[in-house]
Amino acid sequence: MLRLCIVTLMTASFAQSADLKDFAGTWAMRLGERNLFVLTLSRQGDGLKGTFDRPAHYTSNNSIFANMRGGVRHDSVVRCHLADGVLHLTIRNADDAKDEDSYAMTLKENRAELAFDDVPAGAVVEPRTLERVPDGAAVATDWEPNRAYVAGDSDAPSAEMKAIFDEDQRVRSSEHVDWNAVGNTDTLRRGQTRKLLAAGALHTGKDYEEAAFVFQHGDSPQDYLLAHTLAMVAVSKGDPTAIWIAAATLDRYLENIGQKQILGTQFSSDPKSKWTQEPYDRDLVSDALRQQLGVPPQSLQAEQLKAYQAQH
């Protein structure tokens, strides 16, 4: 239901300069190609009326939004006032009249920032960025389950990242690998991937999983730690099989900072071609937990180790 929101101008001088029409219109917070929130404000007499549409259910953690479901809830703007160029809004839950949230809306040309207006002192909360959208814009309902969304997302994978990953795999698949040459080209591929990351050009879980593999083939603890971070993002974006590369990069990072691996994903050989998994803390993680991470149990790891040793 639309409610009239009477705007009170705080000073006479500001009353002459404030213009409510700048706030009127349809605004949306977009996550990639989808609208998460749609705020509609229109003039009615000396005030504004408005609605705030949002998914009926969702979860969020700072900049991440997930688990959007249950259709769309149509909340109402029930109170507002303009002070020093900032529109203060109170929005009421359509399903619970006692549940109200207060926001401060600040215009930034064709965009606006919507910040919580009742944040406790000392707390810092990132404002939500809204952009003007055509009238009639609606909250999306085609959210993918088990995927985290952020602003700037896209459903389209990066063709550049795929090409980098494909080359990373190709140079390792020939019968006779020149590892010195591979190491040199690995450095180039990591540089190319860093540029994509800096440009925000990776979007899908597969993009981040491919980037994780590129940095797993790095040569420093920082490379392996970045690979682990990228793998975590891949999982959060709905690519559950990336949990294995997350596990492997953690083990590789631990080994390279002089710690014991904990999952058993890393096998290495010394100059005499003696294969080992050491140093390895076999007690911290159970095989049941390894299964959840896509890592073989210790019994299969032992068989794999014997197979490697039998090759020499």
Side-chain angles (χ1 to χ4, degrees):
M1 179 174 64
L2 297 180
R3 295 176 179 269
L4 179 63
C5 175
I6 301 298
V7 176
T8 303
L9 299 182
M10 305 305 289
T11 66
S13 61
F14 189 71
Q16 295 175 354
S17 61
D19 197 339
L20 292 178
K21 74 178 189 313
D22 293 333
F23 291 91
T26 304
W27 302 84
M29 178 177 175
R30 296 177 59 78
L31 302 180
E33 296 85 6
R34 296 173 175 85
N35 295 331
L36 178 68
F37 304 131
V38 175
L39 172 65
T40 302
L41 297 171
S42 59
R43 294 294 301 271
Q44 183 169 334
D46 294 330
L48 293 171
K49 62 180 181 180
T51 57
F52 185 78
D53 295 346
R54 43 152 286 174
H57 302 282
Y58 70 91
T59 57
S60 66
N61 186 353
N62 297 320
S63 60
I64 291 177
F65 295 84
N67 303 313
M68 282 72 83
R69 56 186 173 81
V72 178
R73 198 177 81 192
H74 306 283
D75 295 346
S76 299
V77 177
V78 293
R79 290 184 299 279
C80 59
H81 67 270
L82 190 62
D84 298 330
V86 178
L87 186 65
H88 298 268
L89 307 168
T90 300
I91 296 175
R92 179 175 295 166
N93 186 335
D95 298 330
D96 182 358
K98 296 181 180 180
D99 180 17
E100 296 182 349
D101 288 308
S102 297
Y103 299 91
M105 184 176 180
T106 305
L107 299 181
K108 305 286 185 179
E109 296 182 351
N110 285 328
R111 294 179 179 270
E113 288 186 351
L114 191 67
F116 284 105
D117 210 8
D118 50 4
V119 176
V124 178
V125 180
E126 183 179 8
R128 295 165 176 173
T129 300
L130 308 178
E131 59 185 82
R132 288 192 182 274
V133 292
D135 292 342
V139 171
T141 56
D142 61 340
W143 306 100
E144 295 181 26
N146 303 316
R147 171 181 166 182
Y149 290 84
V150 299
D153 259 344
S154 172
D155 293 340
S158 168
E160 290 179 84
M161 188 65 248
K162 184 178 187 306
I164 294 169
F165 172 74
D166 287 347
E167 182 64 11
D168 172 272
Q169 298 296 296
R170 186 194 67 79
V171 298
R172 288 170 162 76
S173 60
S174 62
E175 184 176 354
H176 301 288
V177 178
D178 181 346
W179 289 109
N180 287 330
V182 168
N184 291 332
T185 58
D186 278 346
T187 301
L188 295 175
R189 282 185 287 275
R190 291 196 299 277
Q192 293 168 338
T193 304
R194 287 185 190 278
K195 289 181 179 179
L196 294 178
L197 289 168
L202 305 189
H203 300 289
T204 68
K206 182 58 66 177
D207 288 343
Y208 283 95
E209 182 183 28
E210 291 169 347
F213 272 98
V214 169
F215 280 96
Q216 187 205 28
H217 296 149
D219 56 14
S220 71
Q222 288 79 10
D223 288 338
Y224 308 136
L225 189 56
L226 178 56
H228 181 66
T229 303
L230 293 166
M232 289 193 297
V233 176
V235 173
S236 79
K237 288 191 170 299
D239 189 358
T241 59
I243 196 67
W244 180 86
I245 190 65
T249 51
L250 176 60
D251 271 350
R252 187 163 293 188
Y253 171 72
L254 289 171
E255 282 195 339
N256 277 265
I257 62 170
Q259 300 295 313
K260 298 177 181 180
Q261 66 169 319
I262 62 172
L263 299 169
T265 62
Q266 303 301 295
F267 298 80
S268 59
S269 61
D270 60 23
K272 296 181 180 180
S273 298
K274 181 180 179 181
W275 284 88
T276 182
Q277 289 178 283
E278 302 304 329
Y280 182 6
D281 182 348
R282 290 174 167 80
D283 300 323
L284 180 63
V285 175
S286 68
D287 279 347
L289 185 52
R290 285 187 179 85
Q291 183 181 32
Q292 298 299 322
L293 297 169
V295 175
Q298 290 191 44
S299 59
L300 285 181
Q301 292 177 19
E303 291 184 24
Q304 182 65 73
L305 182 60
K306 289 180 181 179
Y308 283 144
Q309 292 170 340
Q311 294 174 2
H312 300 280

